[in-house]
Amino acid sequence: MPIPAATEQPVDTSTAAGKAFFDMFGVFAEIETNLRRERQAEGIVAARRTGIYRDRPSKIDMDAIGDRIAGGRSPTRIAPCSHYSGHNISLLIGNCFPHRKLSASRLAGSVQAFAPLWR
């Protein structure tokens, strides 16, 4: 008489033993996911050390956006030239200058001081 596969076993989930059986499957799945995540992170660190793994190059030309802001242009005026929305340009500016809200005129004087953040 052949032994049925694990997926063909009848499991009664209305009992405590059946619920515990499925809970154990969840525990094993979570352990495997965490182990896989750790192995992947270790592999990425090792690959970066050897120069094999590199981050994707940025498509955003922050120097051009910074030059336009230094020229006194607002994010909504920069948007059509850069193929990004004015809202996204404002978010980029906010990420580079998180400590305060800057208008385009106030930002123009600060661009050179914070230029290393854009590279």
Side-chain angles (χ1 to χ4, degrees), residues 92-102 106-107 110-111 113-115 117-118:
L92 290 170
I93 292 168
N95 288 338
C96 291
F97 301 93
H99 61 286
R100 61 184 177 184
K101 298 247 183 218
L102 298 174
R106 287 181 54 204
L107 182 60
S110 303
V111 167
F114 291 96
L117 295 174
W118 294 0

Side-chain angles (χ1 to χ4, degrees), residues 69-93:
I69 290 170
R73 297 180 79 183
S74 69
T76 53
R77 296 233 176 201
I78 295 170
C81 319
S82 63
H83 306 292
Y84 295 99
S85 69
H87 176 73
N88 285 340
I89 302 262
S90 296
L91 290 176
L92 290 170
I93 292 168

Side-chain angles (χ1 to χ4, degrees), residues 41-82:
E42 290 169 1
I44 289 172
V45 168
R48 280 189 175 150
R49 261 190 255 125
T50 60
I52 294 171
Y53 187 92
R54 294 189 186 101
D55 292 328
R56 181 174 58 124
S58 177
K59 293 181 180 180
I60 301 170
D61 187 2
M62 289 301 291
D63 291 330
I65 291 173
D67 291 342
R68 289 183 178 126
I69 290 170
R73 297 180 79 183
S74 69
T76 53
R77 296 233 176 201
I78 295 170
C81 319
S82 63

Side-chain angles (χ1 to χ4, degrees), residues 11 24 34 81:
V11 177
M24 290 306 294
N34 291 335
C81 319

